[in-house]
Amino acid sequence: MQLHKPESAASLAALAAAHSLPTVAASPVYYLTPNQAPLQRTLSAMRLNCRIEAVPQDQLAPPQAHFHTAAEFQARFAAFPAALSNITEITERCNLILPLGEAHYPEIGLHPGETADSHLRKLAESGAQTRYGSLTPEIRA
């Protein structure tokens, strides 16, 4: 359950229990450390193409959206021991092997005869046309 308020946690835990569903303590993560919150705000402004002070609240990360230490998590979810223990169960099931020093790109379905470059160009031109209408030589440049 993703929670921001203790009363939400209690009501969601009760709902899960009523339906015999397990819960897990989780928290949204948008940045690594608390001092990176302003950076997330700046990136949101860039994404929305607006001034930092004009970023709508619903477009920002929730408060405390950084990686929490184990102690912080245990304090935050102390009233939900089963949700905390389920974190361990999930992490034990995860087995990710990601070799370092190697590039890993997502597979994209290309049409026959299409290259990654031509596909990217097509997407960029489509986006530019949506944004600007007709594509003038200046926009194409």
Side-chain angles (χ1 to χ4, degrees):
M1 65 185 111
Q2 181 180 1
L3 307 169
H4 303 292
K5 299 177 181 160
E7 59 274 10
S8 299
S11 62
L12 287 173
L15 182 62
H19 293 281
S20 301
L21 297 172
T23 58
V24 65
S27 182
V29 176
Y30 286 76
Y31 40 88
L32 189 57
T33 60
N35 64 341
Q36 291 177 329
L39 175 61
Q40 191 276 330
R41 183 181 201 93
T42 301
L43 291 171
S44 293
M46 291 169 63
R47 176 175 46 84
L48 297 169
N49 195 26
C50 68
R51 297 177 61 84
I52 291 173
E53 57 275 0
V55 176
Q57 283 296 331
D58 67 341
Q59 295 295 311
L60 294 173
Q64 304 296 315
H66 63 277
F67 275 108
H68 293 277
T69 66
E72 288 172 327
F73 236 62
Q74 292 200 349
R76 186 172 184 191
F77 293 99
F80 307 97
L84 284 168
S85 68
N86 284 337
I87 294 172
T88 305
E89 181 182 334
I90 290 171
T91 57
E92 288 172 353
R93 288 182 180 185
C94 295
N95 184 17
L96 175 66
I97 299 171
L98 189 61
L100 299 177
E102 297 177 23
H104 297 273
Y105 300 107
E107 293 289 327
I108 53 172
L110 298 175
H111 297 292
E114 187 178 38
T115 67
D117 286 343
S118 67
H119 181 69
L120 179 59
R121 176 169 291 285
K122 183 172 69 176
L123 291 174
E125 287 180 355
S126 173
Q129 193 160 23
T130 300
R131 179 171 222 158
Y132 302 111
S134 64
L135 299 182
T136 65
E138 182 180 57
I139 291 171
R140 285 188 181 280

